[in-house]
């Protein structure tokens, strides 16, 4: 155990800690109740973090039954969620255990990364085969379809980014890539016509037309821009952000926590926060490139894709560069399910790194 601790990537842990700390600072200012709930989730996450780190995962890397079994378990949870979970804010996405709400879509992201790490570490040389492309899409489409039914468009987009990201780095044939892009364009048009709900269409239209419906569909983004634009270099101070404290900025603890953080701590602190996040991704990619096994490389790749895609969706929506799709900022936003699964993913990477697998 002590030998493994010596090879622990403490810089990676430090980046995670600083992001979590920034999130707690915003939660303490915006909602003390959520602060303590998130603290409880952090405690649970740290228990999982330690357990997973000390566990030797190497025997399971080549055990298809365990990898596939975890994937099927998550699909089963998604089915249970769809049929039996209560509707919370119009979405049937959470399993409820007393006072705890667990969002299964977060676990789906983790399971897809682990499954694709196994799949692509063995198939990437032959990924140009149509059969491999179709099968990889099939494994994405099952959880994506179940999550779309909740509905949770943001999580579906993140799952898509994971699948597409794995394809891009696995040496996909450019001709096949063009065909995939054409199919996706056609599928997007069909989804727009028959799959998306009216409010989802309105959010996308609001992105292309920022001045449209300023008191409705674009209200959140406008208030987010006001929060960021009024912050100045050093912010308004802890508990002094008018947009947050007076309730003008909706979802200031989750979707728009980046804007809430900047309003109180300033533009410079926002740049520092982004720098810490980019350092986190850099460390994950570095661990992957230096790993001895393809499985570890692909786990790190999947983690980097997950965090970057969520970062782009979250920060992009805060500054009006992306539609609002309800995606959290990794380690920063309130959300016990997201925090727990992200900590588990970091712990898996640390465990594999410590054992040089």
């Amino acid at each position: 155990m002590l030998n493994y601790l010596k090879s622990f990537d403490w810089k990676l842990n430090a980046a995670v800690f600083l992001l979590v700390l920034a999130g707690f600072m915003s939660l303490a200012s915006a909602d003390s109740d959520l602060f303590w709930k998130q603290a409880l989730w952090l405690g649970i996450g740290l228990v999982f973090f330690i357990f997973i780190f000390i566990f030797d995962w190497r025997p399971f890397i080549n055990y298809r039954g365990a990898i596939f079994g975890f994937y099927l378990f998550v699909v089963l949870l998604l089915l249970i969620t769809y049929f039996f979970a209560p509707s919370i804010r119009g979405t049937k996405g959470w399993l409820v255990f007393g006072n705890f709400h667990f969002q299964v879509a977060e676990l789906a992201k983790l399971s897809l990364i682990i499954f694709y790490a196994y799949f692509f570490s063995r198939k990437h040389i032959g990924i140009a085969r149509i059969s491999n492309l179709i099968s990889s899409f099939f494994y994405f489409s099952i959880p994506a379809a179940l999550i779309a039914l909740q509905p949770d468009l943001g999580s579906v987009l993140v799952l898509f980014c994971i699948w597409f990201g794995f394809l891009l780095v696995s040496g996909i044939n450019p001709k096949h890539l063009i065909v995939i892009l054409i199919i996706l364009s056609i599928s997007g048009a069909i989804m727009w016509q028959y799959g998306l709900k009216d409010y989802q269409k309105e959010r996308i239209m609001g992105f292309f037309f920022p001045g449209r419906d300023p008191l409705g569909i674009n209200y959140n983004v406008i208030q987010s821009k006001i929060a960021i634009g009024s912050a100045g270099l050093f912010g308004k101070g802890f508990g002094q952000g008018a947009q947050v404290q007076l309730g003008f900025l909706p979802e200031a603890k989750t979707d728009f926590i980046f804007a809430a953080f900047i309003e109180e701590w300033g533009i410079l602190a926002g740049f520092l926060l982004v720098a810490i996040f980019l350092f986190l991704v850099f460390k994950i990619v570095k661990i992957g490139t230096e790993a001895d096994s393809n499985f570890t490389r692909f786990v790190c790749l999947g983690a980097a894709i997950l965090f970057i895609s969520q970062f782009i969706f979250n920060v992009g929506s805060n500054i009006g560069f992306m539609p609002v799709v309800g995606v959290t900022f990794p380690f920063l936003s309130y959300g016990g399910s997201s925090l727990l699964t992200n900590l588990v993913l970091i712990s898996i990477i640390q465990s594999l790194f410590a054992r040089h697998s």
Side-chain angles (χ1 to χ4, degrees), residues 75-140:
V75 171
L76 177 61
L77 287 181
L78 287 171
L79 284 169
I80 293 173
T81 302
Y82 177 72
F83 285 107
F84 301 106
S87 179
I88 300 175
R89 290 183 295 181
T91 301
K92 297 183 65 174
W94 287 269
L95 291 177
V96 180
F97 306 95
N99 293 326
F100 287 90
H101 296 176
F102 185 81
Q103 190 173 14
V104 184
E106 297 297 329
L107 194 61
K109 299 169 188 175
L110 175 64
S111 70
L112 201 63
I113 288 172
I114 294 175
F115 184 87
Y116 277 154
Y118 175 87
F119 182 90
F120 282 92
S121 64
R122 287 155 178 77
K123 301 283 189 179
H124 70 284
I125 295 177
I127 196 61
R129 299 174 184 168
I130 295 296
S131 60
N132 288 333
L133 293 175
I134 293 174
S135 59
S136 69
F137 178 78
F138 174 77
Y139 290 120
F140 149 75

Side-chain angles (χ1 to χ4, degrees), residues 11 17 55 57 66 68 74 78 105 118 146 160 170 174 192 244 267-268 308 322 347:
K11 293 180 180 178
F17 170 77
F55 191 80
W57 294 93
F68 194 65
V74 173
L78 287 171
Y118 175 87
L146 292 173
F160 171 80
S170 296
W192 176 268
V244 177
I267 299 294
L268 290 180
I308 290 174
M322 295 288 290
S347 183

